[in-house]
Amino acid sequence: MSVGSPPPRSSLLLALLFSPVVLADDLFIDSEALPQVLTATRLKQTPAEVPGSMTVLDSELINASGARDISELLRLVPGMMVGNISGNQAAVNYHGTNATEARRMQVLIDGRSVYRAGLATVDWSDIPVAMEDIERIEVFRGPNTVSYGANALMAVVNIITRHPADSHGTRLKITRGQRGINDFYASQGTGWNGGDLRLSLSGQEDDGFDSDRRGDDYRDSRRLNRFSLAVSHTLSDNQSLDWQVNAKDGTNQRPYTYHPVFSGITAAGNNSDVVAKDYAGSVRWNLDINPEHSLYVQASAQHWDRQQTWRACDAEVSFSPELTQLWQLNPNYTERLARNITQFTGPGAAPGTPQEMALANQVLDQWRNGANRTLCGDIDQSARESRYDLELQDTLSLSDSLRLVSGMNYRYDRADSETYFNGTLDDTTWRAFGQLEWRATEHWLLQGGAMFEDTQLIGSSLTPRFAINYLINPRHSLRAVYSEAIRSPDMFENNVNWSYQVSNLRPSAYGQSSARYFVKTRGPGDLDQEHMRSRELGYNGYFAELGLAVDVKLFYDEITGMISEPLRNNQYIASNANSSRFRGTETQLDWRVSRADRLRFTYAFVDAEASNPLDQQFTSRNSGSAGWLRDWGHGWNSALFYYGDNALNGYRFERVDTRIAKRITLGKAQLQLAGVLQQRLDHEPTTFVDNNYDERRVMYFSAELEF
């Protein structure tokens, strides 16, 4: 080795990680700015300082993936279980549990929750933000009710959009491809003295899956359009005002799934399509009191409207008042009678209590006297939800080594549905939160936080988090984290009043053109909160010489008091009787090999045990992704991604995505042409048996013009 030549990289690594304490001061001299994240604690922190595991999907990664949906992007997050209920209904959960609803994960857009408390879900297909407007996605992998309240039980996904100041100019983009893919995006950004603005319009179309388990056409296409306006004002040297307005409308096809309860009924409807209309607005005032003290006040209003009317056919006896009374007495007895009614028309009612048998015999008499005829009518299953949210947050540096973030939040939720709530139901939530960061020494960082929450329908709770980070140097750290989290039952789980009013009956039922279906379901009304205890050991490191970022996590999580029962009308019995345990490891690696090449790898091993088999069924034991991004020069770039899991709901998933793009300069404008090929490597349905494609591959192309 010549004098003055740099040491080998292996020696650099050893020196970096294992230098003696006497060299600690040198290790903490770092001229290179480190990336920062905000979602974990609401404090700006480097990855090495975060009390938990973070995944950041930056704009380069988002663009290179070629993904059309946010749910698809989350396949790049270790431990995320990404599937599909149907083509337009994605299902995403961290580590698993219920696959059809994202009940245990908080999803934010610029800090504003899009979790729907009324129906206990996140509608991934209808999140009102275009992919092109996303700057990055920060995912905190673990419980974080300390910072974000209930529903942040297992993870927090924060979708951060591009600032208007970074969006000047015009962007036009169209995407066309197989399976009916037809997308568009248009935006205009401008600025003036003291302000910036971005206006964007976007739309998506595709045909969803091709066929169900029987080979029949699968009705699940979607059509949606979005509007977004983001404005930022600089009021003074230390004040700014940011506000957004978002709207979305569209149609999601839904396959007709109603099966008549009574025998001999062959008539049926043909769809249960949903018309979706969403509106949201938010305003945020930021004040920097001094370099060590800042606060903000944010207010938002949101409205979700799901209009769904479908035609159902069944026997007239479905609307019998006596059958309704019998259901309220004993649902199991009633269901046995209804599904096997022809077996009882001769011998009479099955053994039961005198009251049950008397009602059952009246129903049988009605059946014999003509109530077995077919009736068809309209069911309005529409649901409307509204949310009003007000939050105050204060960030204060008490000293060079001590930082505090604290705040309060008020939220009002209202749900309107004749089907699900027999009218209107509302809830009010108050929260107070705090996070303290203490840099005890250069090497030791101690963090603690707590959240107090009180809900009108459930009651109050207190959840803590404690973390110790040992900073080997500013780029490398070891961490130990203990946290508790709660999830309050949502309105739909605890307070549902579920029944179907069928209108426009032809012919009339018992002389009425509108009547209630005999099945009526009431929520228990006394559900308790789910409780989670989480332990985590981890390492986060950034090797600047190599351009390599690494995060490794070991975890052991326990959830008790789980509400695991499927949310369905037929014998819905919710309780806190279930539990789950998760243990395993996660790894993510991001390596900028050179200016031209970037490699990315994720892997998760999750060993899950659950008292309810449905919860365990939706956890893949092994899952991960691998990606290679390459800039070939002369405007050419490519990306290659692999996604896989060994079994989600019993079905293996493996796919390779390839994207090739060419950027062309046209005077002051830039034109980018790109093509994406997605190739499935397995031959299995996607998550559920009805989700089938005729071809294992899909190709689509895009053209984007910027000027």
Side-chain angles (χ1 to χ4, degrees):
M1 181 184 302
S2 62
V3 178
S5 62
R9 288 185 171 181
S10 59
S11 300
L12 287 172
L13 291 180
L14 292 173
L16 183 65
L17 292 175
F18 301 110
S19 296
V21 176
V22 296
L23 299 180
D25 291 339
D26 294 331
L27 292 176
F28 278 81
I29 298 174
D30 198 334
S31 60
E32 182 177 342
L34 298 175
Q36 292 185 321
V37 294
L38 185 62
T39 301
T41 62
R42 297 172 176 257
L43 290 167
K44 289 183 178 180
Q45 296 176 309
T46 66
E49 297 169 338
V50 171
S53 301
M54 287 288 302
T55 296
V56 179
L57 306 179
D58 56 48
S59 57
E60 180 187 32
L61 199 60
I62 294 171
N63 294 332
S65 73
R68 300 174 56 243
D69 296 285
I70 294 170
S71 58
E72 287 294 311
L73 282 175
L74 296 179
R75 295 188 185 277
L76 293 165
V77 179
M80 275 299 175
M81 309 296 162
V82 182
N84 285 80
I85 306 172
S86 68
N88 55 51
Q89 291 178 281
V92 182
N93 277 288
Y94 183 62
H95 287 172
T97 72
N98 193 297
T100 60
E101 314 289 347
R103 287 186 273 173
R104 300 180 177 93
M105 192 165 69
Q106 182 64 274
V107 181
L108 312 165
I109 299 178
D110 295 324
R112 169 174 57 85
S113 172
V114 293
Y115 178 87
R116 296 170 58 194
L119 296 184
T121 188
V122 173
D123 200 337
W124 292 98
S125 65
D126 284 334
I127 291 178
V129 60
M131 297 289 287
E132 293 77 10
D133 285 339
I134 299 174
E135 174 64 28
R136 67 185 189 278
I137 300 176
E138 295 184 356
V139 182
F140 185 84
R141 302 175 357 248
N144 203 355
T145 61
V146 168
S147 297
Y148 297 99
N151 297 108
L153 190 80
M154 300 186 73
V156 176
V157 178
N158 191 10
I159 303 162
I160 300 169
T161 61
R162 290 184 298 127
H163 193 276
D166 302 323
S167 308
H168 290 185
T170 302
R171 292 178 69 188
L172 303 172
K173 182 179 180 180
I174 58 171
T175 303
R176 300 287 186 274
Q178 296 173 296
R179 298 177 184 162
I181 292 174
N182 185 3
D183 304 342
F184 77 91
Y185 173 81
S187 75
Q188 178 65 51
T190 187
W192 60 92
N193 186 23
D196 299 279
L197 173 150
R198 183 190 70 248
L199 173 66
S200 64
L201 302 172
S202 60
Q204 279 186 283
E205 294 184 10
D206 60 58
D207 294 337
F209 291 103
D210 296 317
S211 58
D212 61 16
R213 73 189 78 181
R214 297 180 298 272
D216 298 331
D217 181 61
Y218 199 28
R219 186 182 178 87
D220 66 338
S221 69
R222 61 172 172 169
R223 308 286 186 268
L224 64 90
N225 296 293
R226 293 177 293 242
F227 166 90
S228 177
L229 175 64
V231 182
S232 178
H233 300 277
T234 300
L235 304 179
S236 65
D237 291 341
N238 65 337
Q239 294 185 75
S240 63
L241 189 71
D242 303 301
W243 56 275
Q244 296 183 16
V245 176
N246 299 279
K248 191 230 71 177
D249 76 292
T251 301
N252 289 343
Q253 289 188 333
R254 297 287 170 83
Y256 184 79
T257 58
Y258 180 76
H259 299 286
V261 173
F262 295 91
S263 61
I265 308 300
T266 58
N270 57 14
N271 74 79
S272 55
D273 296 351
V274 179
V275 175
K277 299 180 182 294
D278 297 340
Y279 311 94
S282 65
V283 60
R284 173 166 165 164
W285 175 61
N286 306 280
L287 174 64
D288 294 326
I289 300 172
N290 56 54
E292 288 75 39
H293 192 189
S294 64
L295 62 86
Y296 75 74
V297 179
Q298 179 169 301
S300 64
Q302 300 179 81
H303 181 74
W304 299 272
D305 191 350
R306 298 295 181 271
Q307 301 171 17
Q308 185 180 25
T309 301
W310 48 281
R311 193 156 184 83
C313 300
D314 217 317
E316 181 182 15
V317 76
S318 302
F319 306 98
S320 164
E322 289 75 22
L323 188 63
T324 301
Q325 294 179 47
L326 185 60
W327 175 268
Q328 293 170 343
L329 282 176
N330 191 334
N332 291 323
Y333 182 94
T334 308
E335 184 165 4
R336 182 188 172 197
L337 172 70
R339 295 192 180 280
N340 305 280
I341 196 167
T342 56
Q343 299 178 17
F344 297 106
T345 52
T353 68
Q355 187 178 5
E356 291 169 354
M357 294 181 65
L359 288 169
N361 282 317
Q362 292 182 59
V363 172
L364 290 170
D365 286 340
Q366 294 168 4
W367 178 268
R368 299 186 193 100
N369 293 324
N372 59 350
R373 63 176 179 163
T374 299
L375 272 65
C376 296
D378 296 328
I379 294 178
D380 187 351
Q381 200 166 306
S382 301
R384 297 168 180 84
E385 296 181 54
S386 299
R387 170 174 297 161
Y388 303 96
D389 205 300
L390 179 64
E391 182 170 275
L392 168 68
Q393 177 178 305
D394 182 271
T395 305
L396 176 63
S397 295
L398 299 170
S399 67
D400 291 341
S401 61
L402 197 62
R403 292 196 298 168
L404 172 68
V405 60
S406 58
M408 297 184 65
N409 177 274
Y410 167 81
R411 191 178 81 191
Y412 173 79
D413 287 298
R414 168 174 168 159
D416 297 275
S417 176
E418 291 298 324
T419 295
Y420 296 120
F421 302 110
N422 195 25
T424 299
L425 185 67
D426 59 9
D427 194 14
T428 299
T429 303
W430 288 92
R431 290 194 293 121
F433 57 88
Q435 176 82 23
L436 186 66
E437 177 196 85
W438 178 36
R439 192 174 297 274
T441 70
E442 284 184 321
H443 292 282
W444 291 100
L445 184 67
L446 286 80
Q447 301 180 71
M451 185 274 298
F452 175 81
E453 181 172 281
D454 183 78
T455 66
Q456 173 188 324
L457 294 176
I458 303 300
S460 59
S461 61
L462 179 67
T463 53
R465 174 172 63 198
F466 305 98
I468 300 175
N469 292 55
Y470 178 72
L471 302 175
I472 303 170
N473 64 47
R475 298 188 182 125
H476 298 264
S477 72
L478 303 172
R479 64 179 180 271
V481 186
Y482 173 81
S483 59
E484 296 184 10
I486 58 96
R487 189 185 74 87
S488 297
D490 285 308
M491 292 185 273
F492 188 64
E493 298 170 293
N494 199 35
N495 305 97
V496 69
N497 187 1
W498 195 345
S499 64
Y500 292 108
Q501 181 74 28
V502 187
S503 59
N504 300 320
L505 285 167
R506 300 287 187 276
S508 62
Y510 299 94
Q512 301 178 65
S513 62
S514 180
R516 286 274 176 187
Y517 189 65
F518 76 95
V519 174
K520 298 178 183 285
T521 302
R522 296 293 301 270
D526 60 353
L527 291 175
D528 203 354
Q529 295 159 330
E530 297 179 340
H531 192 191
M532 181 174 187
R533 293 179 175 86
S534 175
R535 299 100 171 160
E536 176 182 332
L537 297 174
Y539 161 76
N540 184 281
Y542 177 61
F543 300 90
E545 292 290 325
L546 300 175
L548 175 64
V550 180
D551 187 89
V552 180
K553 168 183 176 178
L554 302 173
F555 60 89
Y556 184 90
D557 300 335
E558 297 174 292
I559 307 177
T560 56
M562 284 185 67
I563 306 165
S564 297
E565 292 76 15
L567 306 183
R568 61 187 183 187
N569 193 17
N570 184 22
Q571 301 188 40
Y572 172 78
I573 306 172
S575 72
N576 293 105
N578 295 290
S579 61
S580 288
R581 177 194 55 76
F582 305 92
R583 60 184 177 186
T585 181
E586 293 173 1
T587 301
Q588 65 180 20
L589 181 153
D590 200 318
W591 186 13
R592 294 188 178 272
V593 183
S594 66
R595 291 185 177 180
D597 294 284
R598 178 181 178 183
L599 300 178
R600 195 173 185 282
F601 170 82
T602 69
Y603 171 74
F605 169 79
V606 183
D607 179 31
E609 294 180 4
S611 59
N612 187 336
L614 288 176
D615 286 321
Q616 190 170 337
Q617 185 174 334
F618 293 115
T619 299
S620 177
R621 191 173 180 88
N622 298 278
S623 61
S625 68
W628 174 35
L629 284 64
R630 170 75 174 175
D631 186 347
W632 298 93
H634 306 288
W636 287 95
N637 63 83
S638 66
L640 182 67
F641 289 92
Y642 166 84
Y643 309 99
D645 61 66
N646 63 331
L648 189 63
N649 196 27
Y651 298 109
R652 183 170 59 92
F653 179 90
E654 285 188 277
R655 194 180 78 200
V656 173
D657 292 3
T658 304
R659 181 179 182 269
I660 299 175
K662 168 68 172 176
R663 183 171 291 274
I664 304 169
T665 300
L666 302 174
K668 295 183 178 181
Q670 294 283 328
L671 174 65
Q672 179 172 262
L673 305 176
V676 177
L677 173 65
Q678 297 179 341
Q679 176 69 56
R680 287 285 294 270
L681 304 181
D682 61 88
H683 297 267
E684 302 189 22
T686 304
T687 316
F688 288 90
V689 67
D690 283 319
N691 299 337
N692 295 286
Y693 291 119
D694 295 338
E695 296 287 337
R696 293 189 301 153
R697 67 178 61 90
V698 62
M699 183 178 294
Y700 50 93
F701 300 90
S702 66
E704 182 176 0
L705 182 65
E706 295 184 55
F707 56 93

